[in-house]
Amino acid sequence: MMRAVPRTVVVSARTRREKSHDVDVSRFRRASGSIRAAVSARATSDASSSSTSSPDDEEGAFLTAAAVMGAPTLATLIYPTFFVREGLGLECATPLFGETFDSVRSVQHFSDAFGTSAFSLIALTALYTLSDAAKNERLNSETYQRLALAMVLFVGSFVVAFGVAAASAAASGGGGGPNAATCAGLCLAFGPAFATSVKAIREHGPGHDETWARVAKDFKEATNFGDRTEKGGYLELFYKLSFWTSLVVGGSFAFSPLSPLAIVNEMEPSSQLIQRAFGLATVFLLAPTQYALVDASRRGRLGGGTFKKLNLSIAASIALIDWMTVYTFQAATDLSPTADDLAAASGGVYNYVGALAVSASILAVYLFQGIAAKK
């Protein structure tokens, strides 16, 4: 005969089963949540890693950009005639290849193209140092952020200048501007340097607002000539003065229709373009590079490999420009120009002598620091 189970016992057993069920459900939910969180974190990590280039990829991108930019710029440095004649429609000659100057205009165009191309040594050195920084995961350093920004400004200014010259020529209807193939070639040659530098700033920089805040801080620092660190000393002052000299002199070439030192000033779009290009490279490439050296001198880091390379590249560029200045002055003199030929000249002998004297003294410092600076 079955004995009756007390009601309290039945209720108690049911309650235990329900509690056990609730615990199991709770554990399951927690486990499911943990799995979802892990999957989400993994997906976020994968997305982040896929959007950020690896050091090897970044190094390769900068080296490729240097190769693509170096081919046409170094070719123009060696033989300016092709770019000037075929790309800009101006007369030019390169005596190294057996050509002769027929007029002071051809001398001036050779001078402008050669001088501007000399700055490519600084640009290529900057790209190489950026590739090395990428390899060693140092692109977040302020030094390399400054160099990346310099490349963006340099390339951007050239693209804008070529575009404005082409548009001006088209609007006037009289030609005299860079042709479409030249503009396209410039974009293809300079585009990789622009893209990789922008990417380095976006992925490794402090952000848009912070980047421009640093630029403002750098200008303020460069203006304070009396504030020099113990490690920087008078060398820091030298680099600050060089920085401002480049901005002032380069600006006079870039933003004035009359060059401060020209055998002849011409108003055609192509002539204005090739004349102003020298100033654009000075303002947007040379000056920012010089500020990187200001900062290095303040920190006593001029003996570092990056800064020695930058010093040497600037020294080499200045040497080429000084040689060009002396050579073209003599070439123009040999043509025995008439007063009418020189009616549109600017600068004169005093500017010529002063520019060479200042340039030679600056060259000596950059060369010495590039060779003998110590850590």
Side-chain angles (χ1 to χ4, degrees), residues 129-204:
T129 59
L130 285 166
S131 74
D132 186 64
K135 177 182 178 181
N136 294 287
E137 301 185 45
R138 289 185 285 120
L139 284 175
N140 60 341
S141 163
E142 287 192 353
T143 292
Y144 301 107
Q145 286 295 304
R146 289 187 181 100
L147 291 178
L149 182 59
M151 293 306 303
V152 171
L153 295 175
F154 167 61
V155 172
S157 68
F158 266 55
V159 171
V160 170
F162 272 74
V164 169
S168 297
S172 67
N179 57 45
T182 300
C183 293
L186 175 83
C187 292
L188 290 174
F190 284 27
F194 184 87
T196 51
S197 297
V198 168
K199 196 168 187 291
I201 293 171
R202 292 182 62 182
E203 292 187 1
H204 302 283

Side-chain angles (χ1 to χ4, degrees), residues 16 20 26-27 41 74 95 134 150 157 161-162 173 188 223 251 335 344 375:
R16 285 196 299 271
S20 176
S26 177
R27 288 176 178 170
L74 294 179
S157 68
F162 272 74
L188 290 174
T223 306
L335 290 172
K375 291 185 179 181

Side-chain angles (χ1 to χ4, degrees), residues 78-96:
I78 296 170
Y79 184 62
T81 299
F82 179 81
F83 168 72
V84 175
R85 282 183 184 171
E86 304 301 325
L88 302 180
L90 301 173
E91 57 183 300
C92 185
T94 306
L96 179 64

Side-chain angles (χ1 to χ4, degrees), residues 204-239:
H204 302 283
H208 179 275
D209 294 342
E210 291 80 359
T211 294
W212 293 111
R214 189 194 65 236
V215 172
K217 174 176 158 295
D218 288 348
F219 267 100
K220 184 178 179 180
E221 181 62 51
T223 306
N224 194 347
F225 297 109
D227 178 25
R228 301 191 298 272
T229 66
E230 184 178 347
K231 292 180 178 179
Y234 285 104
L235 193 57
E236 178 185 339
L237 177 61
F238 164 81
Y239 283 118

